[in-house]
Amino acid sequence: MAIFKRGGVYYYEFVFSGRRYCKSTKVKNQRDAADIERAFRTSLAKGEVGIVERKKMPTFKEFSETFMDAIRVRSADKPATVGFYADRTTRLLKYRPLADARLDSIDEALIERYVTARRAVVQPASCNRELATLRRALRLAEDWKLIVRAPRVRLLKGERQRTFVLSHEEEAKYLAACPPLLRDAASVMLDTGLRIGELLNLSWKDIRFEPTGAAKFGSVRVTAGKSQNALRTLSLTARASAVLFARRKASKSPYVFPGKSPDVPILVTSLNHLHSRVRESIVNGKKHHAFPAEFVLHGLRHTFLTRLGEAGTDAFTIMRLAGHSSVTVSQRYVHPTLDSCETAFERLEAFNSRANERLQGKQSLQTSHHRKRRTA
């Protein structure tokens, strides 16, 4: 045992695997110094055989800070996304059993207790957004090797979907009540299906008024969105083109829909509040609101996609135009009728007939050439 005293405290000194170690134990008791020396030797020996001391497992509250740091970096250009995760993480941390739990002790049972507690005060949709946040945080912990396996997080069923769709008559009534800014924004959403964030982040460099390809009235390009699938180019309708052209002539901002300052786009919340005031101001003959509360701005995009489906657009085309990441989402806008199914068979028969005619013509031409060669 290489323990010696210097200046009132004990030091240890020894050679391990060809390397000399000499360090103060910072204690004045020889027995304590010997224990420290043995502990250090043991840690070195474990390292030699690949045994690593486990680090202290953080609680979910402690890990949430690291999780939010990662969200801020990955979504630096999406403040709404950062705000979403910040709000849901704060809500998760209010449940003390979850906030104080070590990451490796969070299991399906604890998650179910959280669901039971939250379901008593909120709707399934709110609870599901919190569960989705928890699921992403735990999967990130698994990716970083903090836990061996992330527990399964099951979302609640029965989440009510906003399915409000404007009829053309309701559309006319709504647009007539809108101030110019909201009327222009709503018209473009109804004719392009842009998400609210995509619409408000449009700059004039994203608008092309000259028709190209099969387009008749120009196009709009989405350069940023929820995912890679959101990046797309959409053709403009006559109405959308006219609205954008009029705004371009009067604009002094790089943004199509600027806010109070021409250097920044209008806030989503500002447009939402404006929409809510208009919706609540429209009443029918019985002094009741003409539109339900579920008619939110996103309903304009939903209306666009529903009309595409009713016009006979297939799910894959809707997926491309909407910027969906999966055709499963797009399929709910497609509702085949007996007429559309019959039309599909008619198109198939016509397609097969044209292909067979081309094949027969090609075979006839080959036969003719073969006969001429034999005659020659």
Side-chain angles (χ1 to χ4, degrees), residues 6 44 56 69 80 129 142 191 203 205 239 256 259 275 298 343 370:
R6 178 187 297 169
L44 290 175
K56 180 182 177 182
D69 287 341
R129 302 294 81 74
E142 180 182 349
D191 285 4
S203 58
K205 68 178 184 297
R239 176 173 66 172
V256 178
H275 165 80
H298 187 75
T343 300
H370 183 66

Side-chain angles (χ1 to χ4, degrees), residues 42-54:
T42 301
S43 66
L44 290 175
K46 288 182 176 180
E48 283 285 303
V49 296
I51 300 176
V52 180
E53 295 290 335
R54 290 186 62 186

Side-chain angles (χ1 to χ4, degrees), residues 300-316:
L300 301 175
R301 169 177 162 86
H302 187 70
T303 297
F304 166 80
L305 297 176
T306 300
R307 289 176 180 177
L308 280 181
E310 291 175 344
T313 309
D314 63 273
F316 288 97

Side-chain angles (χ1 to χ4, degrees), residues 243-256:
V243 167
L244 292 172
F245 187 74
R247 293 192 66 83
R248 184 68 184 98
K249 290 177 63 177
S251 177
K252 297 181 179 179
S253 168
Y255 291 98
V256 178

Side-chain angles (χ1 to χ4, degrees), residues 129 158-164 294 302 332:
R129 302 294 81 74
E159 182 175 340
R160 189 181 67 174
Q161 299 287 339
R162 287 194 177 111
T163 57
F164 183 81
E294 68 175 359
H302 187 70
R332 65 185 180 186

Side-chain angles (χ1 to χ4, degrees), residues 75-313:
S75 304
D77 58 338
K78 302 175 183 177
T81 299
V82 175
F84 171 88
Y85 281 107
D87 291 342
R88 272 58 184 187
T89 301
T90 299
R91 181 58 260 178
L92 289 166
L93 293 175
K94 289 184 178 180
Y95 186 65
R96 290 297 298 276
L98 177 62
D100 296 338
R102 301 288 177 186
L103 286 180
D104 57 354
S105 68
I106 299 176
D107 56 13
E108 288 80 359
L110 176 57
I111 295 171
E112 197 60 33
R113 291 197 296 273
Y114 174 82
V115 170
T116 301
R118 286 296 287 152
R119 186 61 186 88
V121 293
V122 298
Q123 295 296 321
S126 298
C127 190
N128 281 344
R129 302 294 81 74
E130 295 159 15
L131 291 174
T133 301
L134 177 62
R135 177 168 59 190
R136 181 166 183 180
L138 294 175
R139 286 180 177 175
L140 193 61
E142 180 182 349
D143 291 342
W144 290 350
K145 304 297 188 285
L146 293 176
I147 55 178
V148 176
R149 181 190 69 87
R152 183 182 181 188
V153 180
R154 296 186 302 171
L155 301 184
L156 290 171
K157 296 181 180 180
E159 182 175 340
R160 189 181 67 174
Q161 299 287 339
R162 287 194 177 111
T163 57
F164 183 81
V165 176
L166 280 174
S167 67
H168 287 86
E169 181 181 355
E170 291 170 331
E171 175 188 327
K173 184 183 296 185
Y174 170 72
L175 292 178
C178 289
L181 171 64
L182 181 59
R183 182 172 61 250
D184 288 353
S187 297
V188 174
M189 283 188 70
L190 282 166
D191 285 4
T192 61
L194 291 171
R195 298 179 177 92
I196 303 173
E198 295 170 346
L199 175 78
L200 301 189
N201 283 321
L202 283 180
S203 58
W204 291 115
K205 68 178 184 297
D206 301 322
I207 309 298
R208 186 184 183 94
F209 290 104
E210 300 80 13
T212 57
K216 294 183 179 180
F217 303 101
S219 59
V220 55
R221 183 180 57 169
V222 181
T223 58
K226 293 178 65 176
S227 67
Q228 192 68 23
N229 301 91
L231 310 183
R232 61 200 190 279
T233 299
L234 301 166
S235 297
L236 294 174
T237 62
R239 176 173 66 172
S241 180
V243 167
L244 292 172
F245 187 74
R247 293 192 66 83
R248 184 68 184 98
K249 290 177 63 177
S251 177
K252 297 181 179 179
S253 168
Y255 291 98
V256 178
F257 296 98
K260 293 181 178 180
S261 168
D263 298 327
V264 295
I266 187 174
L267 296 174
V268 173
T269 52
S270 298
L271 201 65
N272 277 329
H273 291 156
L274 190 57
H275 165 80
S276 296
R277 288 197 295 270
V278 170
R279 177 181 57 78
E280 293 172 0
S281 70
I282 303 174
V283 295
N284 56 26
K286 298 180 181 179
K287 301 297 182 182
H288 293 152
H289 293 307
F291 296 103
E294 68 175 359
F295 174 32
V296 294
L297 270 177
H298 187 75
L300 301 175
R301 169 177 162 86
H302 187 70
T303 297
F304 166 80
L305 297 176
T306 300
R307 289 176 180 177
L308 280 181
E310 291 175 344
T313 309

